[in-house]
Amino acid sequence: MQRWALPAGLPYLCAEMPTIKSLFLVLAALLLPFVTVAQQRPKPTPPPQKGQRIELLPGTRELVGGTFNGVEIRKLLGNVSFKQENTFLYCDSAYQYLDRNAIEAFSNVRIVDNDTITITGDRGTYDGDTRKARMTGNVTMRDPRMTLTTQVLDYDLSKNLAYYSTGGHLVDPENTLDSQYGYYNTTSKVFSFKRNVHLVTKENDITTDTLQYNTVAKIAYFLGPTRIKGKQGSIYAENGTYNTITKVSNFQRNAKIETPSYLLGGDKLVYDEVRQYGVATGHVSMTSKKDNVVLRGDVGKYWRALGRTKVYGSSPVMRNISDGDTLYLAADTLISVENRGPKTTAGILYAFPKVKIFRKDLQGRCDSLTYDRQDSIIYLNKKPVLWADKNQLTADSMELRQRKGKIDQMRLYANSFIAGEDTLLNYNQVKGRNMVAYFVDNKIKKVNVLGNAESLYFALDGDTALTGMNRAVSANMTLRFAANKLQTISYLTNADASFIPPHELKADDRRLKDFSWRPKERPTRRLVLGKHFALPVKAKPKPKAKPKSKTTTAKPKVVKRAAPASKSAPAKPAPARPAPKAR
């Protein structure tokens, strides 16, 4: 009797003879791995789902069916209308492609979507499966908020997105807009425009490269260099928003407000046209076009109706260039007020507190300052101190008068004091109630001391030796200078003068009352300019090129080096030089 061996793991069915059932089990065991692998294979991607069939509505005057070039087409003439879901298409004539659920429409084509969007044109195509339409020739798109005209318009009904690339013109009740490219989301009511964008509102003319416009909120979003021109000036920025209803701009990246008189800019700028109020932050700069004055700081506020600008943050700086001379002025706060008179007249600048002044021939400090730019007068308040070359001037308050950009006069009021250092580090001193200092080419030429005048002057011999000290008291006196050095003193009334030789001078004799020498407080250029006006970087001089050596045909000398001595061997002393022979 023959027996069949069963595969391991299968149930024992019959030990005597094979049966059909046992053979089936054996085959199943052998084929099981292949079946499992087949079940794990990915299923093929199903074909794209077709859209609802486009329905031909009754009313067409003539219908001609047939096959053209192997394609089944229905020609429809006169009062043609179709429907798919909530979309209707009307035209004078059409081709309906039955095999691919599409329409080609001609003459007076009109698409109505959800009773809100209406598109008209000379010719149109519509694919019912992808729900995409294209309209060409005198295209107009309307919804309750706007009207768009263009030559070619694509409309994706499934995504509610319309777009054009041949130039478009948008009109709503308050604005008009033109651009080369445009995208319109009919759900969010947001337009996106690119290339040569031009938006015109009731108050402004706006040009930009890239813009998004919400037709519901009436807000424009700028994504490129943008300029807004209005009746009162213009605004420039490279990123930001503009509300066409509230007239509020919120700009970033190199934002600027420009008026006939001023230019205000910063990294960020918010401007309210209704209130005529703007705030700039980050690298703020305000330029007065009338008198070449520039203010720079971290924060700037502008009130156009008042003609007032306030700059503060990180010790803002004013720069005024006049006839080649540059005046820098720094303080915690700078306020500029426009002159409301003729356009050619300049305004007034207020600086406070901790004022610092720098120009190449004059430096100073005070608590507060007023700069009348029309009259070129600077008023320094609360114990100012000025330095001109080696002279130091102090008083309770001062006036600095300029003419053609140069110092003309300094007027010192109450507790006036002038001190100067000579070549031997002595301090010549003059004090009085009030003083008037006269300048020529920014150098002191004469000082009139008015009331309670006192002077202390060291006489030198050739700027190298002290010969004595002159001391005088008078009601008034006049001092004359040459090359910023005191030359003569004239005592006008009730003079009392004395000369003290060097050996009789005492420490107390060398100082007038209230004398204070303050060189450490003298502002430097770098201190005043801070981060707002960077110092120019000096280019390093290029090294001179070495002259090329002349080539020779001589053979190079061979230098033989002696073998180094071993480390263990003692070093040989150098031979002694012979003593020179006596002459």
Side-chain angles (χ1 to χ4, degrees):
M1 182 180 295
Q2 186 178 2
R3 293 180 180 271
W4 292 79
L6 297 176
L10 289 177
Y12 184 78
L13 298 179
C14 180
E16 299 297 329
M17 59 179 299
T19 65
I20 295 176
K21 189 173 183 179
S22 63
L23 289 175
F24 174 77
L25 292 175
V26 172
L27 292 173
L30 295 174
L31 295 174
L32 182 60
F34 298 98
V35 175
T36 304
V37 172
Q39 290 177 348
Q40 293 177 351
R41 291 177 180 174
K43 296 180 180 180
T45 304
Q49 187 175 2
K50 294 185 177 181
Q52 179 181 330
R53 295 295 298 177
I54 300 174
E55 177 185 356
L56 175 63
L57 299 179
T60 302
R61 292 197 299 267
E62 184 178 353
L63 186 152
V64 179
T67 302
F68 302 90
N69 297 327
V71 179
E72 188 177 359
I73 299 176
R74 288 199 298 189
K75 291 184 178 180
L76 303 109
L77 303 174
N79 198 26
V80 183
S81 58
F82 298 93
K83 175 185 178 184
Q84 186 189 48
E85 299 180 7
N86 294 324
T87 303
F88 294 84
L89 187 150
Y90 307 92
C91 60
D92 290 345
S93 61
Y95 292 160
Q96 184 178 16
Y97 299 87
L98 301 179
D99 62 335
R100 54 189 177 91
N101 197 24
I103 293 173
E104 190 173 357
F106 308 94
S107 183
N108 296 315
V109 183
R110 177 164 53 98
I111 296 176
V112 179
D113 186 32
N114 290 316
D115 293 329
T116 56
I117 303 296
T118 301
I119 306 173
T120 61
D122 295 338
R123 182 173 178 175
T125 59
Y126 179 66
D127 189 320
D129 292 338
T130 61
R131 290 182 55 77
K132 292 182 178 180
R134 165 168 280 199
M135 198 76 76
T136 60
N138 301 312
V139 181
T140 300
M141 180 178 184
R142 293 184 177 89
D143 72 4
R145 295 179 177 84
M146 66 86 205
T147 299
L148 169 68
T149 56
T150 182
Q151 286 301 310
V152 180
L153 180 71
D154 291 284
Y155 185 31
D156 189 332
L157 285 82
S158 60
K159 296 180 179 179
N160 297 320
L161 180 65
Y163 46 95
Y164 61 86
S165 60
T166 58
H169 180 71
L170 173 70
V171 178
D172 68 16
E174 298 179 355
N175 312 290
T176 62
L177 189 147
D178 294 273
S179 69
Q180 182 66 33
Y181 301 95
Y183 304 85
Y184 180 43
N185 189 313
T186 59
T187 301
S188 63
K189 308 301 180 185
V190 174
F191 262 104
S192 297
F193 304 98
K194 287 184 69 65
R195 193 77 60 83
N196 301 325
V197 183
H198 185 196
L199 173 62
V200 179
T201 71
K202 293 180 179 180
E203 301 292 336
N204 297 292
D205 188 293
I206 304 171
T207 56
T208 183
D209 179 72
T210 303
L211 177 148
Q212 287 185 349
Y213 181 58
N214 190 316
T215 60
V216 178
K218 299 294 189 298
I219 297 177
Y221 302 84
F222 303 99
L223 305 175
T226 303
R227 184 174 297 276
I228 300 178
K229 295 182 179 180
K231 298 178 181 178
Q232 300 173 347
S234 65
I235 301 174
Y236 172 86
E238 297 171 4
N239 187 287
T241 64
Y242 175 67
N243 191 314
T244 62
I245 297 177
T246 63
K247 305 297 186 297
V248 174
S249 306
N250 191 335
F251 280 161
Q252 301 178 11
R253 293 186 194 170
N254 197 25
K256 297 181 179 68
I257 298 176
E258 186 172 4
T259 71
S261 301
Y262 283 88
L263 177 63
L264 174 65
D267 293 341
K268 297 181 181 180
L269 173 64
V270 178
Y271 185 67
D272 187 331
E273 291 182 25
V274 178
R275 297 169 56 200
Q276 298 187 33
Y277 170 71
V279 179
T281 56
H283 298 94
V284 174
S285 176
M286 191 281 288
T287 302
S288 173
K289 300 178 181 179
K290 296 178 180 179
D291 49 5
N292 199 15
V293 169
V294 179
L295 306 182
R296 291 185 181 176
D298 284 347
V299 182
K301 296 184 177 181
Y302 177 59
W303 295 265
R304 175 171 173 77
L306 302 175
R308 180 185 179 96
T309 303
K310 179 180 179 181
V311 181
Y312 57 95
S314 298
S315 190
V317 183
M318 179 212 75
R319 182 185 68 188
N320 183 203
I321 302 176
S322 179
D323 292 335
D325 289 329
T326 305
L327 171 66
Y328 293 97
L329 189 154
D332 287 356
T333 302
L334 301 177
I335 296 178
S336 176
V337 180
E338 300 178 25
N339 191 313
R340 313 308 281 182
K343 294 183 179 181
T344 57
T345 57
I348 297 176
L349 177 77
Y350 301 94
F352 59 91
K354 302 177 182 178
V355 179
K356 298 181 288 291
I357 300 172
F358 182 88
R359 56 187 288 172
K360 61 182 180 181
D361 49 19
L362 181 73
Q363 299 83 44
R365 287 179 179 267
C366 64
D367 180 74
S368 60
L369 174 150
T370 301
Y371 182 13
D372 187 337
R373 302 200 301 274
Q374 181 177 353
D375 296 332
S376 297
I377 301 177
I378 300 176
Y379 302 90
L380 300 91
N381 305 311
K382 295 188 177 180
K383 298 182 178 180
V385 53
L386 293 174
W387 291 269
D389 197 16
K390 294 184 179 181
N391 299 299
Q392 174 185 287
L393 299 85
T394 58
D396 288 356
S397 62
M398 294 185 190
E399 287 182 15
L400 179 60
R401 296 173 176 257
Q402 302 176 85
R403 178 179 294 179
K404 296 182 179 180
K406 296 183 178 181
I407 303 172
D408 182 58
Q409 292 183 25
M410 284 187 192
R411 299 192 177 192
L412 287 64
Y413 300 106
N415 298 311
S416 305
F417 206 117
I418 297 180
E421 190 177 42
D422 65 15
T423 56
L424 298 182
L425 305 183
N426 298 306
Y427 299 106
N428 298 317
Q429 303 153 52
V430 180
K431 64 178 298 187
R433 185 183 303 116
N434 302 316
M435 294 185 190
V436 179
Y438 299 90
F439 289 73
V440 176
D441 293 331
N442 293 325
K443 295 181 179 180
I444 296 178
K445 288 300 180 181
K446 184 176 72 170
V447 176
N448 291 335
V449 185
L450 308 175
N452 302 328
E454 296 182 55
S455 68
L456 189 152
Y457 172 68
F458 291 88
L460 304 181
D461 183 9
D463 292 338
T464 58
L466 177 65
T467 60
M469 185 188 74
N470 291 293
R471 186 162 189 166
V473 177
S474 177
N476 303 305
M477 64 176 64
T478 298
L479 296 83
R480 300 185 183 277
F481 294 79
N484 277 334
K485 294 181 180 180
L486 182 62
Q487 295 296 309
T488 61
I489 301 177
S490 301
Y491 309 104
L492 304 181
T493 53
N494 302 323
D496 183 7
S498 62
F499 180 82
I500 305 175
H503 63 277
E504 296 182 6
L505 282 174
K506 298 178 182 179
D508 294 341
D509 297 334
R510 294 175 175 266
R511 301 287 188 269
L512 294 178
K513 186 180 179 182
D514 300 326
F515 169 81
S516 178
W517 188 247
R518 299 151 62 180
K520 293 183 179 180
E521 299 179 31
R522 192 170 188 168
T524 62
R525 178 186 178 93
R526 186 175 298 276
L527 177 65
V528 176
L529 271 61
K531 67 178 184 179
H532 302 298
F533 288 95
L535 292 172
V537 179
K538 294 183 179 180
K540 295 182 179 180
K542 295 182 179 180
K544 295 183 179 179
K546 295 182 179 180
K548 295 182 178 180
S549 60
K550 297 182 180 179
T551 57
T552 59
T553 58
K555 296 182 179 180
K557 295 181 180 180
V558 178
V559 179
K560 295 183 179 180
R561 295 183 179 180
S566 62
K567 294 182 179 179
S568 60
K572 294 182 180 180
R577 293 183 179 180
K581 295 181 180 180
R583 294 181 180 178

